[in-house]
Structure formats: C-alpha cells, structure tokens
Amino acid sequence: MTAIQGLAARPALRFWSQALLGSAVLAASAQVSLPMWPVPATLQTLAVLLLGALGGSRLGAAAVLLYIAEGAMGLPVFAAGTGGPAALMGPTAGFLLGFVASAWIAGQAGQGALRQALVLAAAHLVVFVPGVLWLSGFVGLERAVMAGFVLFVPGTAVKTALAFATLRALRRA
Ligand SMILES: O=C(O)CCCC[C@@H]1SC[C@@H]2NC(=O)N[C@@H]21
C-alpha cells in the first residue's frame, strides 16, 4: 500500500492531513501583509473563503481551528509572523475567531453563481463582527469600526470577487 492509498483508506487521517495543509496555506496568506496598526491588511480572508468554499464547512473550520492552535502554541503563523498567547489575546484576536465562522459559512457556497456570490460576501463580512467588537476593547468602538472595518471595505470587495472567480474557475475545470 502506498502512502497515498494509506491516507485514502483512513478518512480521519486524510481529513486532518488536509486540514493541516489548509492551515499551512492560511499561515502563508498571513505573511502577505501590509503592516497597518492596529489591524494589518492580509490575504488571510481570501484563504479562509477558499478553504471553506472548496473544502466544505467542516474541513474549512477545522483548518482554521488548527491554524489558531498552531498560533497559540507559539508558531509564527499569524499576520506578519506573530504567534503565541499574547498575539492570540491581542487587538486582532477577534478576526481570528471570525475566520472559523467565515470558513464554515463559505462551505455553504453550493453550486449556483448568485448563491456562491452571496454566501462568500456573507462569509467575508462575518469576520468583522467579532473582529471589530474585540478590537473596540483596545481602541474604542468608533476607532475600531474605522480601523477594523471601513478601511478594509475596498479590499474586502476585491478579495470576495477573487474568491468567487477562483471558485467558479475551479468548479468549471
Ligand atoms: O493577527 C492576525 O493574524 C489577524 C489579522 C486580521 C486582519 C483582518 S482580517 C479582515 C481584515 N482584512 C484584512 O486584510 N485585514 C483585516
């Protein structure tokens, strides 16, 4: 039996191997970052949307949970190479939590183009709810809405469109 056959024969092993791969993709996307304070611009949400939409809700959410666990253990997987319990409790922790819900919702994208577009938009926007609420504990609500949401509206639209186009292209292939 080859290693690949071995993986296929053990669904749990295959699931967690794929989740581990997904968490590595998410870690890589976090390093593509524009260093803004208190919230950097990164490619994390694009990766989260695609993990959910392509892998499904369970796998997408599992990959994000694994990613958060890796960060909590001190691996430098969060934005701009940060990690550890302090980073997990820092100003951007709410966004990390939001990634779990986002991947789960993206996993409901289904088949039709309109449904996919709406689900991906909802999955992206949901990240900002815990993100801004948690951030407001550090900088106040008004500044959190500005620096944690308003600033990211254009990038959010672009990354949602990119996730949609990628999903459509891969589903057609
Ligand atoms: O510390 C981390 O690793 C989390 C960073 C969160 C960045 C958020 S996610 C939503 C919004 N879009 C971005 O490009 N950056 C912020």
Side-chain angles (χ1 to χ4, degrees), residues 5-167:
Q5 284 169 330
L7 273 184
R10 296 185 187 84
L13 190 59
R14 191 177 54 172
F15 180 86
W16 286 108
S17 305
Q18 289 173 337
L20 190 63
L21 186 63
S23 73
V25 169
L26 186 48
S29 75
Q31 309 319 313
V32 185
S33 119
L34 266 185
M36 307 188 316
W37 194 89
V39 185
T42 74
L43 287 187
Q44 283 157 299
T45 48
L46 176 60
V48 168
L49 292 182
L50 287 174
L51 285 173
L54 296 172
S57 290
R58 280 183 69 241
L59 184 59
V64 175
L65 285 170
L66 210 50
Y67 170 72
I68 294 173
E70 290 159 4
M73 288 186 296
L75 294 178
V77 293
F78 297 148
T82 55
L88 197 54
M89 296 305 290
T92 59
F95 294 100
L96 296 169
L97 186 68
F99 291 166
V100 184
S102 180
W104 183 273
I105 293 170
Q108 308 297 314
Q111 297 297 331
L114 180 62
R115 180 189 167 101
Q116 289 172 341
L118 291 175
V119 168
L120 288 176
H124 206 155
L125 288 174
V126 82
V127 167
F128 292 95
V129 177
V132 167
L133 286 178
W134 180 266
L135 180 63
S136 70
F138 292 80
V139 298
L141 187 59
E142 200 176 324
R143 186 138 182 242
V145 170
M146 208 55 208
F149 176 62
V150 175
L151 220 55
F152 291 104
V153 169
T156 298
V158 170
K159 283 182 278 182
T160 306
L162 263 176
F164 175 73
T166 308
L167 178 62

